[in-house]
Amino acid sequence: MNRTYIKDLKSNVGQSVSISGWVDVRRDHGKLIFIDLRDMSGKVQMVILPNHTEAHIVAKDLRGEWVIRVNGKVNERPAKMVNKDELNGAIEFEVLSIEVLSSAKELPFAVNENVNIDTYLDHLPFTLRGTRPSSIFKVQAGIVKTFRDFFTSQGFTEIQVPKLIGDDAEGGANSFDVTYFKHTAHLAQSPQLYKQIMVGVFERVFAIGNVYRAEKHSTTRHLNEYTSMDIEMGFIKDHEDVMDIETEFLRKLSNDLKDSYVDEFKILSATIPDVPVKIPRLSLREAQILISKETGKDCTQEPDLEPEHERWLCNYAHEKLDSDFIFITNFPTAKRPFYTYRDEKDATYTKGFDLLFRGVEITTGAQRIHNYDDLIASMKEKKLNPEKFSYYLQAFKYGLPPHGGFGLGLERLTAKLLGIDNVKEATLFPRDINRIDTLLSK
Ligand code: AMO
């Protein structure tokens, strides 16, 4: 008999079908045995009656996470037993025979038990099966799908970029060294240089891939390996065009989530944000003046936003501007990477931006310097040796249009969308300074 998925049982009332999955919960009520069976599509309550002797004998041995194939009949539940909130609350599956495909050893705890984060991470191959984690990563897959679909529909070409690189583009101390090669190589902190090079080929490109940051601390928003969703586009007017297309993507994402992931948001008690046609935009200085005025603490001389400022600005946007998102623009040149375009009005500021969402920065983007000589001058100002970047510089030497792009952290976006406090919970297998699967101190 062909396998029927659990979500489709409702349309098979009165029929005999075969289903397969994991034993989620088992309850014995005298001679009646109830089992909730879980497959990739949902859960159903099964009942094993004592008169089906063989099935009853097998069922007595079943425990949590055993994998079984079951033949049986889909019955309507009596009216007073119907549970409207459940996928299969109106039916019950009467088991006729059971085949054990795989047994499981004794479980460390119940699959949906609320355990502390370390216990949760120690047991990921098991804990990820829970309702909450599996909902998180279903939504995450949906985000990636919309990103890919949206940018493809806008004429962008998806590219695969190397993760082993010769020099670090983002600068700073947080790049990992790789010592295998003749010269020390690095793990890519972003696809930055390659996505810019590829503007010379395709004009519009995007990349979805893992990037690496040697963050020294374990925080609730930093990972050592995360998924960066990047775009780069040619022939822009300035960074406003980049913010516009990110806004359009977010509006599409909000719609797609509302179409396909309402159940998952319900499980996580999270709300899908509405995205305004124009996400509010403030320059860093405007934002700092506002924060200083409202909080009485002067931050107008600081070159960047502190995490508490990001939270404040998000609250402000939510309360006063009716938006869960806010762009902060025009960061100082001194604080941005060498490739960032400078504001013509004042070259100490850039045409770079951050996007803040529900208290956290989820994106950095900018217009880039496209003129070869200006780029070399900018490198020298940042005490970088242009010779080390000669490979990348060919793209500029041989003509690159005005361009810009952004990098969006998938795990931070997932966490903030779903109201998750720790970004590690929005990462399938998070790496941080203390843990690569198992605790490194173990
Ligand atoms: P940036 O370094 O700001 O910019 O990174 C872009 C976005 O990536 C996410 N992110 C992280 N997520 C988890 N753990 C980390 N350690 C971490 N670091 C960054 C954030 C952040 O906003 N090349 C530029 C992008 C560009 O200009 O196109 C860059 O990488 O969501």
Side-chain angles (χ1 to χ4, degrees), residues 282 285-300 308-309 311-317 319-321 326:
L282 287 179
R285 282 292 171 254
E286 285 168 344
Q288 288 174 326
I289 289 168
L290 202 65
I291 297 169
S292 303
K293 246 196 226 155
E294 297 283 327
T295 64
K297 278 191 242 157
D298 184 11
C299 61
T300 52
E308 66 187 85
H309 297 150
R311 285 193 291 273
W312 190 93
L313 285 165
C314 287
N315 278 339
Y316 170 81
E319 310 262 302
K320 300 272 163 62
L321 309 173
I326 181 166

Side-chain angles (χ1 to χ4, degrees), residues 170 190 192 195 213 215 221-223 226 230 339 361-365 368 405-407 409 412:
E170 303 302 333
S190 85
Q192 185 64 37
K195 64 178 180 165
R213 303 280 172 111
E215 309 288 357
R221 54 205 225 142
H222 289 102
L223 299 157
Y226 73 90
D230 277 82
Y339 51 76
E361 173 212 307
I362 56 163
T363 290
T364 292
R368 326 292 187 188
F406 67 77
R412 282 194 190 175

